[in-house]
Amino acid sequence: MNYETMSAADFRRESAVRREKIYAKTEYIGSLKAEKILWKEYENLCSDAASGDPIAQDLLAQWFRNGNQIVHENIDLSMRWLILAGANGNKHSLDRLKLHFGFAFDTIIDLDDFSKISYKFKINEYNYQYILGKFICDAVVDDMKIDALELAKAEPRALPFSSVVLRGFDRSINRAVVKVIEYLRK
């Protein structure tokens, strides 16, 4: 699948189709067998995500954001998978990260030499959130040393929403902006 040419709507649609296929396998069976099937699907998603599939990464982010029958809500794993999916070009993930990246976008766009940067990287009012968002995600992945293989092996323990956890991501995003600006100015 060519992820480069996919729009945010394409990613959202592919994610929904994949999610529906997973849950369709458990629709008419008892809860114990359904749970066993979901665990197998979770393992498949982890395998796909570890090999770089940004749709699988986004689905895992959603599963951990809300929790479900087999994985608990875990804000840290959710954010890590979401940022990794964004770094791998999932535009739906980047759409969901806009709120976290607002200050970062403003900082970059307010640079005195942004017109030169925007020309060099073909950034415009329609694509800046995707282009800059991907750069920021790449830098956060490096900063936090987010590794898909390690995430796939992580125990799906409960870690509900926490401003303390999110502050760690905010600090990493702030450090990432400095790195992105350095890169854009090269």
Side-chain angles (χ1 to χ4, degrees):
M1 187 172 287
N2 184 359
Y3 298 118
E4 289 291 318
T5 61
M6 290 176 66
S7 69
D10 294 334
F11 275 106
R12 191 172 33 259
R13 197 172 19 265
E14 286 296 320
S15 183
V17 166
R18 197 159 179 183
R19 187 175 45 253
E20 287 170 16
K21 284 181 181 178
I22 290 170
Y23 286 109
K25 294 177 182 180
T26 64
E27 193 170 8
Y28 298 108
I29 57 178
S31 62
L32 287 176
K33 190 167 182 178
E35 188 173 306
K36 192 179 237 183
I37 290 169
L38 283 176
W39 272 110
K40 181 65 179 160
E41 292 299 322
Y42 171 73
E43 291 169 359
N44 292 341
L45 278 176
C46 285
S47 176
D48 291 348
S51 63
D53 179 342
I55 295 171
Q57 293 166 349
D58 184 76
L59 277 170
L60 286 168
Q62 290 177 43
W63 279 25
F64 283 112
R65 184 186 66 226
N66 301 316
N68 62 23
Q69 290 171 261
I70 59 166
V71 299
H72 298 286
E73 175 187 0
N74 185 311
I75 189 65
D76 183 65
L77 289 175
S78 177
M79 286 296 293
R80 287 175 187 271
W81 280 121
L82 187 62
I83 288 168
L84 194 57
N88 285 316
N90 188 319
K91 292 175 182 163
H92 178 53
S93 300
L94 291 167
D95 274 348
R96 295 193 351 254
L97 285 164
K98 283 188 234 182
L99 177 65
H100 296 283
F101 291 172
F103 179 75
F105 292 149
D106 290 344
T107 301
I108 295 168
I109 291 169
D110 288 344
L111 295 171
D112 291 338
D113 57 344
F114 185 70
S115 61
K116 181 178 160 186
I117 290 168
S118 63
Y119 178 78
K120 179 180 175 182
F121 290 92
K122 298 179 175 75
I123 299 170
N124 60 48
E125 64 184 294
Y126 304 107
N127 66 12
Y128 78 93
Q129 292 175 334
Y130 299 121
I131 293 173
L132 297 178
K134 186 173 181 329
F135 286 146
I136 293 166
C137 284
D138 285 336
V140 171
V141 166
D142 289 343
D143 180 71
M144 297 185 83
K145 297 173 181 40
I146 298 174
D147 180 83
L149 291 172
E150 287 181 30
L151 284 178
K153 294 177 188 174
E155 181 183 336
R157 62 183 173 77
L159 181 60
F161 177 85
S162 162
S163 59
V164 172
V165 172
L166 288 181
R167 274 196 300 272
F169 286 96
D170 289 341
R171 285 190 294 274
S172 181
I173 292 165
N174 289 338
R175 289 188 298 269
V177 169
V178 173
K179 298 290 185 191
V180 169
I181 290 171
E182 287 173 8
Y183 173 75
L184 294 172
R185 285 182 165 163
K186 282 185 181 177

